[in-house]
Amino acid sequence: MTETQTAADQRWADAETRARAFLAQPRNHRVLPIRGFVLAVALTLALLVVISFTLSPGSDARLTLSAIGAGIAVLVFVAEVIRAVRFRRRAGLAVVRVQVLASLLQREQRAVSRAATGKTEAPADRRIVVDAVATDLASGDGLPMLAGQLVVWTALAVSGVTFWPLYLVGVLVAAVQFVWTTRSAMLAQRYLAASPTS
Protein backbone atom coordinates (compact mmCIF):
# COMPACT_ATOMS: atom_id res chain seq x y z
CA MET A 1 0.00 0.00 0.00
CA THR A 2 1.45 3.38 -1.00
CA GLU A 3 1.83 6.34 1.32
CA THR A 4 -0.74 8.29 -0.74
CA GLN A 5 -3.30 5.50 -0.39
CA THR A 6 -2.64 5.25 3.36
CA ALA A 7 -3.18 9.01 3.77
CA ALA A 8 -6.43 8.81 1.75
CA ASP A 9 -7.68 5.88 3.83
CA GLN A 10 -6.91 7.83 7.01
CA ARG A 11 -8.79 10.91 5.73
CA TRP A 12 -11.85 8.85 4.87
CA ALA A 13 -11.68 6.93 8.16
CA ASP A 14 -11.70 10.26 10.06
CA ALA A 15 -14.62 11.50 7.95
CA GLU A 16 -16.53 8.27 8.57
CA THR A 17 -15.98 8.50 12.36
CA ARG A 18 -17.32 12.06 12.37
CA ALA A 19 -20.21 11.10 10.06
CA ARG A 20 -21.27 8.33 12.45
CA ALA A 21 -21.12 10.79 15.36
CA PHE A 22 -23.14 13.30 13.34
CA LEU A 23 -25.85 10.77 12.48
CA ALA A 24 -25.97 9.43 16.06
CA GLN A 25 -26.47 12.79 17.76
CA PRO A 26 -29.93 14.12 18.66
CA ARG A 27 -31.75 15.66 15.71
CA ASN A 28 -33.59 18.91 15.60
CA HIS A 29 -37.07 17.50 15.04
CA ARG A 30 -38.28 20.52 13.13
CA VAL A 31 -38.71 19.49 9.52
CA LEU A 32 -38.86 22.54 7.33
CA PRO A 33 -41.50 22.11 4.61
CA ILE A 34 -39.24 23.57 1.95
CA ARG A 35 -41.78 24.08 -0.85
CA GLY A 36 -44.24 25.81 1.47
CA PHE A 37 -41.46 27.89 3.03
CA VAL A 38 -40.18 29.02 -0.37
CA LEU A 39 -43.72 29.93 -1.40
CA ALA A 40 -44.18 32.01 1.77
CA VAL A 41 -40.88 33.83 1.13
CA ALA A 42 -41.80 34.46 -2.53
CA LEU A 43 -45.21 35.86 -1.51
CA THR A 44 -43.60 38.13 1.09
CA LEU A 45 -41.14 39.45 -1.48
CA ALA A 46 -43.87 39.91 -4.08
CA LEU A 47 -46.02 41.85 -1.59
CA LEU A 48 -43.08 44.10 -0.68
CA VAL A 49 -42.31 44.84 -4.32
CA VAL A 50 -45.92 45.28 -5.54
CA ILE A 51 -47.00 47.48 -2.65
CA SER A 52 -43.84 49.59 -2.90
CA PHE A 53 -44.59 50.34 -6.56
CA THR A 54 -48.04 51.65 -5.62
CA LEU A 55 -46.45 54.11 -3.20
CA SER A 56 -44.56 57.20 -4.28
CA PRO A 57 -40.76 57.10 -3.85
CA GLY A 58 -39.57 58.78 -0.67
CA SER A 59 -43.02 58.72 0.92
CA ASP A 60 -43.46 57.89 4.59
CA ALA A 61 -45.69 54.96 3.65
CA ARG A 62 -42.95 53.43 1.51
CA LEU A 63 -40.38 53.83 4.27
CA THR A 64 -42.83 52.29 6.74
CA LEU A 65 -43.35 49.33 4.42
CA SER A 66 -39.57 48.85 4.25
CA ALA A 67 -39.30 49.06 8.03
CA ILE A 68 -42.04 46.43 8.42
CA GLY A 69 -40.27 44.12 5.95
CA ALA A 70 -36.94 44.56 7.73
CA GLY A 71 -38.69 44.03 11.10
CA ILE A 72 -40.12 40.71 9.93
CA ALA A 73 -36.64 39.61 8.85
CA VAL A 74 -35.13 40.65 12.20
CA LEU A 75 -37.79 38.59 14.00
CA VAL A 76 -36.83 35.59 11.84
CA PHE A 77 -33.15 36.11 12.75
CA VAL A 78 -33.91 36.34 16.47
CA ALA A 79 -36.22 33.30 16.41
CA GLU A 80 -33.60 31.23 14.55
CA VAL A 81 -30.80 32.23 16.92
CA ILE A 82 -32.95 31.35 19.96
CA ARG A 83 -33.95 28.03 18.38
CA ALA A 84 -30.33 27.17 17.56
CA VAL A 85 -29.11 28.07 21.06
CA ARG A 86 -31.87 26.03 22.71
CA PHE A 87 -31.16 23.03 20.50
CA ARG A 88 -27.41 23.29 21.10
CA ARG A 89 -28.01 23.49 24.86
CA ARG A 90 -30.15 20.31 24.73
CA ALA A 91 -27.89 18.42 22.33
CA GLY A 92 -24.58 19.45 23.86
CA LEU A 93 -21.47 19.78 21.71
CA ALA A 94 -22.71 18.88 18.24
CA VAL A 95 -20.80 17.61 15.23
CA VAL A 96 -21.56 19.76 12.18
CA ARG A 97 -21.19 19.10 8.45
CA VAL A 98 -17.97 21.14 8.22
CA GLN A 99 -16.35 18.85 10.79
CA VAL A 100 -17.51 15.74 8.93
CA LEU A 101 -15.74 16.95 5.79
CA ALA A 102 -12.76 18.63 7.51
CA SER A 103 -10.25 15.83 6.94
CA LEU A 104 -11.05 15.45 3.23
CA LEU A 105 -9.36 17.23 0.34
CA GLN A 106 -11.33 19.87 -1.54
CA ARG A 107 -11.97 17.56 -4.50
CA GLU A 108 -13.16 14.84 -2.12
CA GLN A 109 -15.50 17.30 -0.38
CA ARG A 110 -16.95 18.32 -3.75
CA ALA A 111 -17.41 14.65 -4.68
CA VAL A 112 -19.29 14.02 -1.41
CA SER A 113 -21.50 17.07 -1.96
CA ARG A 114 -22.29 15.95 -5.53
CA ALA A 115 -23.21 12.48 -4.28
CA ALA A 116 -25.30 13.93 -1.40
CA THR A 117 -27.40 15.85 -3.91
CA GLY A 118 -27.77 12.83 -6.20
CA LYS A 119 -25.61 14.15 -9.01
CA THR A 120 -23.26 11.17 -8.81
CA GLU A 121 -23.49 7.69 -7.32
CA ALA A 122 -22.03 7.32 -3.83
CA PRO A 123 -19.61 4.39 -3.48
CA ALA A 124 -20.76 1.89 -0.86
CA ASP A 125 -17.67 2.45 1.31
CA ARG A 126 -18.31 6.24 1.35
CA ARG A 127 -22.08 6.13 1.83
CA ILE A 128 -22.06 6.94 5.56
CA VAL A 129 -20.18 10.21 4.89
CA VAL A 130 -22.50 11.05 2.00
CA ASP A 131 -25.58 10.24 4.14
CA ALA A 132 -24.36 12.57 6.91
CA VAL A 133 -23.86 15.45 4.46
CA ALA A 134 -27.20 14.76 2.76
CA THR A 135 -28.99 14.68 6.13
CA ASP A 136 -27.56 18.07 7.02
CA LEU A 137 -28.36 19.58 3.62
CA ALA A 138 -31.90 18.14 3.63
CA SER A 139 -32.73 19.69 7.00
CA GLY A 140 -32.97 23.14 5.42
CA ASP A 141 -31.69 24.66 8.65
CA GLY A 142 -29.92 27.52 6.89
CA LEU A 143 -32.94 28.60 4.84
CA PRO A 144 -34.71 30.83 7.40
CA MET A 145 -31.57 32.93 7.94
CA LEU A 146 -30.99 33.24 4.18
CA ALA A 147 -34.65 34.15 3.69
CA GLY A 148 -34.30 36.81 6.38
CA GLN A 149 -31.31 38.30 4.58
CA LEU A 150 -33.21 38.29 1.30
CA VAL A 151 -36.21 40.07 2.86
CA VAL A 152 -33.96 42.69 4.51
CA TRP A 153 -32.17 43.47 1.25
CA THR A 154 -35.50 43.61 -0.61
CA ALA A 155 -37.00 45.91 2.02
CA LEU A 156 -34.01 48.24 1.70
CA ALA A 157 -34.12 48.16 -2.11
CA VAL A 158 -37.83 49.04 -2.31
CA SER A 159 -37.52 51.81 0.27
CA GLY A 160 -36.49 54.20 -2.51
CA VAL A 161 -33.61 55.67 -0.50
CA THR A 162 -30.55 57.06 -2.27
CA PHE A 163 -28.53 53.85 -2.35
CA TRP A 164 -31.32 51.55 -3.55
CA PRO A 165 -29.27 50.26 -6.57
CA LEU A 166 -26.60 49.06 -4.14
CA TYR A 167 -29.29 47.29 -2.12
CA LEU A 168 -30.56 45.70 -5.34
CA VAL A 169 -27.14 44.06 -5.75
CA GLY A 170 -27.57 42.72 -2.20
CA VAL A 171 -30.98 41.32 -3.22
CA LEU A 172 -29.44 39.48 -6.19
CA VAL A 173 -26.62 37.98 -4.11
CA ALA A 174 -29.02 36.92 -1.32
CA ALA A 175 -31.44 35.47 -3.89
CA VAL A 176 -28.70 33.36 -5.50
CA GLN A 177 -27.64 32.01 -2.06
CA PHE A 178 -31.24 31.26 -1.12
CA VAL A 179 -32.04 29.51 -4.41
CA TRP A 180 -28.80 27.47 -4.34
CA THR A 181 -29.36 26.34 -0.73
CA THR A 182 -33.01 25.51 -1.43
CA ARG A 183 -32.05 23.46 -4.48
CA SER A 184 -29.36 21.58 -2.53
CA ALA A 185 -31.82 20.83 0.29
CA MET A 186 -34.45 19.49 -2.13
CA LEU A 187 -31.92 17.36 -4.01
CA ALA A 188 -30.56 15.98 -0.73
CA GLN A 189 -34.10 15.11 0.39
CA ARG A 190 -34.64 13.28 -2.90
CA TYR A 191 -31.32 11.43 -2.46
CA LEU A 192 -32.25 10.34 1.08
CA ALA A 193 -35.72 9.21 -0.02
CA ALA A 194 -34.20 7.04 -2.75
CA SER A 195 -31.29 5.81 -0.61
CA PRO A 196 -31.54 2.12 0.40
CA THR A 197 -30.11 2.94 3.84
CA SER A 198 -32.74 5.57 4.71
Side-chain angles (χ1 to χ4, degrees), residues 4 11 104-112 114:
T4 305
R11 286 195 306 272
L104 301 178
L105 301 176
Q106 286 292 320
R107 64 181 168 75
E108 294 168 333
Q109 292 180 19
R110 286 192 297 272
V112 169
R114 282 194 307 274

Side-chain angles (χ1 to χ4, degrees), residues 72-130:
I72 290 169
V74 168
L75 287 176
V76 169
F77 285 135
V78 171
E80 282 300 298
V81 168
I82 291 170
R83 185 195 61 75
V85 167
R86 288 178 64 198
F87 175 70
R88 185 62 59 94
R89 199 171 282 156
R90 280 195 316 267
L93 189 60
V95 178
V96 295
R97 178 176 19 135
V98 174
Q99 293 168 323
V100 171
L101 297 174
S103 63
L104 301 178
L105 301 176
Q106 286 292 320
R107 64 181 168 75
E108 294 168 333
Q109 292 180 19
R110 286 192 297 272
V112 169
S113 295
R114 282 194 307 274
T117 52
K119 295 175 187 168
T120 60
E121 187 67 31
D125 60 338
R126 309 289 191 234
R127 189 170 296 281
I128 190 76
V129 177
V130 173

Side-chain angles (χ1 to χ4, degrees), residues 1-189:
M1 185 176 287
T2 66
E3 190 175 319
T4 305
Q5 184 60 45
T6 303
D9 289 345
Q10 184 59 52
R11 286 195 306 272
W12 283 100
D14 290 346
E16 184 175 331
T17 300
R18 291 188 182 118
R20 289 186 189 285
F22 176 85
L23 292 171
Q25 69 193 7
R27 283 274 157 273
N28 179 354
H29 293 294
R30 178 187 76 168
V31 176
L32 188 67
I34 293 178
R35 285 189 175 89
F37 181 76
V38 169
L39 181 61
V41 170
L43 287 174
T44 302
L45 296 176
L47 279 173
L48 273 173
V49 171
V50 169
I51 294 173
S52 71
F53 280 124
T54 64
L55 303 171
S56 59
S59 68
D60 289 342
R62 197 164 181 172
L63 289 173
T64 302
L65 175 68
S66 296
I68 290 170
I72 290 169
V74 168
L75 287 176
V76 169
F77 285 135
V78 171
E80 282 300 298
V81 168
I82 291 170
R83 185 195 61 75
V85 167
R86 288 178 64 198
F87 175 70
R88 185 62 59 94
R89 199 171 282 156
R90 280 195 316 267
L93 189 60
V95 178
V96 295
R97 178 176 19 135
V98 174
Q99 293 168 323
V100 171
L101 297 174
S103 63
L104 301 178
L105 301 176
Q106 286 292 320
R107 64 181 168 75
E108 294 168 333
Q109 292 180 19
R110 286 192 297 272
V112 169
S113 295
R114 282 194 307 274
T117 52
K119 295 175 187 168
T120 60
E121 187 67 31
D125 60 338
R126 309 289 191 234
R127 189 170 296 281
I128 190 76
V129 177
V130 173
D131 286 352
V133 171
T135 300
D136 186 58
L137 288 173
S139 71
D141 274 350
L143 285 176
M145 286 292 216
L146 290 173
Q149 289 176 20
L150 182 54
V151 171
V152 165
W153 283 112
T154 304
L156 291 171
V158 301
S159 67
V161 295
T162 308
F163 298 110
W164 73 266
L166 180 64
Y167 298 136
L168 189 57
V169 172
V171 170
L172 295 174
V173 171
V176 167
Q177 288 178 315
F178 181 74
V179 168
W180 182 263
T181 305
T182 300
R183 181 178 177 273
S184 295
M186 293 177 78
L187 289 173
Q189 286 179 351

